[in-house]
């Protein structure tokens, strides 16, 4: 027997308490009319719990939350204590207690329903757990497929039974007609004859039961059921946009042809780039592969540690420490990059330092580097002093697994003379850049080394200054 109709109640103001109602059906099931508990129990399947707490706390009053919690603990016996919370987080903690109890009970809970739907908090698509939603869609798809097959089987049986009954009715009519109009001998003969033909026709009717009239082996329709619930491609793309990008590639893409088509589509990754702010610097250079452009932009960063000396010499390997050694000082002249406030300074003996970058550790595995060979951009800033001559050098190598060079960038040493007139009032910063392209398979490490010294052999730190060095793996159109 169905539960009695839920009585109408006057709508309260937003967030005001509406007295809950509890109903029991004749078969012992419990139905609870409570908007808060209905909201929590349903949304726990598809919305992250933190989002539920935030939405419920902002849309229901403290009294409402406390009364719903007390009712839930009364209806669902548990070993948990019904703790009375206080303070600024009281509402959030009470909602979490309800969620813990519902989670503990699983399916063994009353059925919660809402009468005033306008009391339910609105849930935007951005608040939903797209992974859970996809999982529920798949389960729904399987249930629909099972139901469809059951209905098709039932319909087929009904058709077959009807065909067999019609065949038997026709045969009985023929027998009665022949018995009425034929002689006894003939009737017996007809009866004997018809007995054989009846057996044949009944067997035929059994065949008809398997194959309805008018349906032959050649025209029996083949019914194909899809494994997954058919989803509009635009909706599926929107769901993918709310999933972690690596899950789209390594999980969703393998589900079916439809999902693969969306996961590989240019529009998906182009829109993802737009939403996350990855822009093409030169509009005339369009990426050939938007998915690759997205991942390279997302992972792009300076692979050198402590490039500006904020942490003294940390992360740098000192290869040569001549004169009075390396030193970190504040910049003498403002750097084009305003966040640069410090630089490394060389002395009167050769000073050289470097870093070895392990690409596997940085997230660029061997198959990726070998197959795509993304551009590797090198940048280094250096500046001389006007009153003292200096020299600057840099060497960057792409290394294989055995740390043997595959490609090397090592320009000639750059010299600055003492008292060069153009440096007197403009000891400006100079940038050294290089891009490694089409370097072939096998790159596993990058070794970055730079340094220099002063050429006048003055005690102290009057040699070349370096800072803001960088090694980046980036999209080709950005280099």
């Amino acid at each position: 027997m169905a539960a009695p109709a839920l009585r109408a109640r006057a709508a309260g103001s937003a967030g005001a308490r509406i007295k809950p109602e509890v109903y029991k059906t004749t078969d012992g099931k419990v139905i609870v009319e409570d908007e808060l508990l209905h909201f929590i129990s349903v949304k726990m399947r598809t919305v992250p719990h933190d989002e539920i707490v935030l939405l419920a706390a902002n849309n229901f009053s403290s009294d409402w939350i406390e009364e719903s919690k007390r009712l839930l603990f009364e209806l669902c016996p548990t070993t948990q204590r019904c703790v009375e919370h206080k303070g600024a987080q009281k509402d959030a903690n009470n909602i979490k207690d309800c969620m813990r109890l519902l989670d503990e009970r699983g399916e063994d809970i009353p059925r919660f329903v809402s009468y005033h739907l306008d009391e339910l908090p609105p849930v935007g698509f951005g608040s939903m757990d797209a992974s859970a939603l996809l999982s529920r869609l798949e389960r729904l798809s399987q249930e629909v497929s099972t139901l469809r097959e059951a209905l098709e089987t039932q319909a087929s049986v009904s058709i077959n039974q009807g065909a067999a009954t019609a065949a038997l009715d026709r045969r009985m009519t023929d027998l009665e007609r022949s018995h009425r109009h034929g002689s006894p001998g003939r009737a017996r003969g007809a009866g004997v004859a018809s007995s054989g033909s009846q057996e044949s026709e009944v067997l035929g009717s059994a065949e008809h039961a398997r194959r309805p009239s008018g349906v032959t082996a050649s025209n029996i329709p083949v019914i194909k059921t899809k494994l997954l619930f058919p989803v509009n491609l635009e909706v599926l793309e929107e769901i993918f946009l709310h999933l972690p990008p690596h899950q789209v590639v390594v999980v969703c893409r393998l589900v079916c042809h439809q999902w693969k088509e969306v996961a590989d589509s240019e529009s998906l990754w182009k829109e993802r780039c737009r939403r996350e702010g990855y822009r093409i610097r030169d509009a005339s250079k369009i990426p050939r592969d938007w998915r690759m452009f997205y991942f390279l932009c997302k992972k792009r960063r300076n692979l050198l540690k402590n490039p500006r000396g904020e942490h003294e010499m940390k992360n740098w390997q000192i290869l040569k420490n001549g004169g009075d050694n390396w030193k970190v000082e504040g910049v003498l002249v403002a750097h084009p990059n305003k966040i640069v406030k410090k630089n490394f300074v060389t002395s009167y003996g050769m000073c050289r330092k470097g870093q070895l970058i392990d690409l596997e550790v940085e997230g660029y595995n061997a198959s990726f580097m070998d197959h795509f060979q993304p551009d590797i951009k090198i940048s280094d800033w250096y500046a001389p002093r006007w009153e003292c001559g200096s020299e600057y050098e840099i060497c960057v190598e792409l290394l294989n697994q055995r740390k043997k060079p595959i490609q090397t960038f090592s320009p000639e040493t750059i010299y600055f003379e003492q008292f060069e007139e153009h440096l007197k009032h403009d000891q400006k910063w100079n940038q050294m850049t290089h891009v490694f392209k089409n370097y072939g398979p096998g790159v596993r490490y990058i070794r970055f080394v730079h340094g220099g010294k002063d050429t006048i052999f003055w005690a102290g730190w009057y040699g070349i200054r370096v800072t803001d060095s960088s090694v980046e793996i980036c999209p080709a159109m950005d280099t």
Side-chain angles (χ1 to χ4, degrees):
M1 178 178 176
L6 303 181
R7 65 180 180 84
R9 296 175 296 165
S13 58
R17 182 59 182 156
I18 299 176
K19 181 175 171 42
E21 293 290 340
V22 180
Y23 304 89
K24 283 192 177 180
T25 62
T26 54
D27 57 358
K29 294 182 179 179
V30 178
I31 299 177
V32 180
E33 186 182 340
D34 184 285
E35 282 72 16
L36 172 60
L37 295 177
H38 177 220
F39 174 76
I40 294 175
S41 61
V42 171
K43 298 307 178 185
M44 280 178 66
R45 307 171 191 171
T46 55
V47 179
H49 289 188
D50 290 343
E51 291 283 346
I52 296 176
V53 172
L54 182 63
L55 290 168
N58 288 337
N59 285 273
F60 293 93
S61 66
S62 296
D63 292 341
W64 188 319
I65 295 171
E66 289 176 356
E67 188 170 346
S68 295
K69 175 183 172 181
R70 282 194 296 271
L71 177 63
L72 179 63
F73 273 76
E74 289 173 7
L75 296 173
C76 300
T78 178
T79 56
Q80 293 186 38
R81 290 177 56 243
C82 186
V83 180
E84 183 176 347
H85 297 287
K86 297 181 179 180
Q89 297 299 316
K90 176 179 68 173
D91 293 346
N93 289 329
N94 282 329
I95 295 168
K96 289 177 182 177
D97 288 345
C98 293
M99 295 172 67
R100 276 194 290 270
L101 180 53
L102 290 171
D103 192 48
E104 174 190 307
R105 300 279 298 190
E107 298 296 325
D108 186 20
I109 59 174
R111 181 180 178 185
F112 299 104
V113 297
S114 296
Y115 183 83
H116 293 281
L117 298 181
D118 57 338
E119 295 291 342
L120 298 176
V123 179
F125 196 92
S127 300
M128 299 186 70
D129 183 345
S131 299
L133 179 61
L134 287 173
S135 177
R136 293 195 67 199
L137 281 173
E138 184 172 356
R139 289 198 300 272
L140 178 61
S141 159
Q142 293 170 347
E143 291 173 5
V144 170
S145 297
T146 302
L147 179 61
R148 182 188 299 157
E149 291 173 0
L151 290 173
E152 289 167 352
T153 302
Q154 184 178 357
S156 176
V157 169
S158 299
I159 293 172
N160 295 339
Q161 287 177 341
T165 301
L168 288 172
D169 288 342
R170 286 195 304 273
R171 182 56 188 159
M172 290 300 295
T173 301
D174 291 342
L175 287 173
E176 290 175 357
R177 186 181 298 113
S178 65
H179 180 71
R180 246 188 337 262
H181 299 291
S183 63
R186 291 177 62 189
R188 284 193 296 270
V192 171
S194 65
S195 176
S197 63
Q198 182 180 7
E199 181 180 353
S200 175
E201 189 161 348
V202 169
L203 289 174
S205 69
E207 176 64 23
H208 277 292
R210 291 191 294 270
R211 184 183 302 166
S213 176
V215 179
T216 64
S218 61
N219 64 8
I220 294 177
V222 179
I223 300 173
K224 296 182 179 179
T225 56
K226 295 182 179 179
L227 175 63
L228 291 175
F229 190 76
V231 182
N232 181 280
L233 293 182
E234 287 76 13
V235 174
L236 189 59
E237 180 175 298
E238 184 63 31
I239 293 173
F240 283 1
L241 287 168
H242 285 76
L243 289 174
H246 66 279
Q247 285 190 8
V248 174
V249 175
V250 303
V251 179
C252 300
R253 188 174 178 272
L254 306 180
V255 172
C256 64
H257 288 295
Q258 183 194 42
W259 286 29
K260 181 179 183 297
E261 178 185 344
V262 176
D264 289 344
S265 67
E266 177 181 301
S267 62
L268 172 70
W269 299 102
K270 193 173 183 179
E271 176 62 15
R272 195 141 202 164
C273 289
R274 187 191 69 79
R275 293 189 183 187
E276 297 186 27
Y278 301 137
R279 302 283 187 265
I280 303 172
R281 296 183 182 180
D282 186 348
S284 64
K285 297 180 179 178
I286 304 299
R288 287 181 297 177
D289 186 335
W290 277 95
R291 181 174 65 184
M292 178 57 55
F293 177 79
Y294 170 81
F295 278 105
L296 286 175
C297 289
K298 190 172 184 67
K299 292 173 69 67
R300 183 174 181 175
R301 64 195 187 282
N302 189 356
L303 302 181
L304 293 175
K305 308 296 189 296
N306 187 27
R308 306 181 190 101
E310 292 99 333
H311 307 291
E312 298 297 320
M313 301 302 297
K314 184 179 179 180
N315 301 114
W316 290 98
Q317 180 185 6
I318 305 300
L319 304 174
K320 286 195 175 182
N321 214 12
D324 289 326
N325 307 330
W326 281 97
K327 185 180 181 181
V328 176
E329 293 181 344
V331 295
L332 293 177
V333 178
H335 193 278
N337 184 354
K338 294 182 179 180
I339 67 173
V340 177
K341 302 300 180 184
K342 292 185 177 182
N343 53 209
F344 302 93
V345 189
T346 59
S347 188
Y348 59 87
M350 178 54 70
C351 295
R352 191 178 292 136
K353 61 184 177 70
Q355 289 189 32
L356 180 67
I357 300 168
D358 186 334
L359 294 173
E360 183 81 29
V361 171
E362 296 296 336
Y364 300 95
N365 60 42
S367 60
F368 174 84
M369 294 301 298
D370 291 350
H371 182 71
F372 294 105
Q373 298 178 32
D375 289 1
I376 302 175
K377 183 177 180 180
I378 311 299
S379 174
D380 196 25
W381 291 86
Y382 59 97
R385 293 180 67 124
W386 172 74
E387 70 271 31
C388 184
S390 58
E391 61 183 67
Y392 163 79
E393 63 178 40
I394 182 173
C395 179
V396 184
E397 297 174 304
L398 306 185
L399 310 178
N400 63 16
Q401 189 64 43
R402 296 183 178 182
K403 299 179 182 175
K404 302 296 183 183
I406 292 177
Q407 272 195 25
T408 300
F409 170 66
S410 182
E412 294 183 358
T413 301
I414 297 175
Y415 296 94
F416 295 92
E417 299 295 332
Q418 183 183 25
F419 301 130
E420 285 192 29
E421 190 62 29
H422 72 279
L423 296 177
K424 185 173 183 179
H425 302 291
D426 186 16
Q427 302 174 78
K428 66 178 182 180
W429 288 95
N430 302 273
Q431 186 181 22
M432 177 68 71
T433 61
H434 179 73
V435 179
F436 289 99
K437 295 175 178 284
N438 304 318
Y439 38 79
V443 175
R444 303 292 179 265
Y445 300 92
I446 303 173
R447 179 183 287 135
F448 180 96
V449 177
H450 67 169
K453 64 184 184 72
D454 82 56
T455 56
I456 309 299
F457 298 98
W458 285 1
W461 297 273
Y462 294 90
I464 203 73
R465 293 169 286 142
V466 293
T467 192
D468 204 22
S469 312
S470 69
V471 174
E472 294 180 320
I473 294 181
C474 50
M477 60 283 307
D478 280 2
T479 58

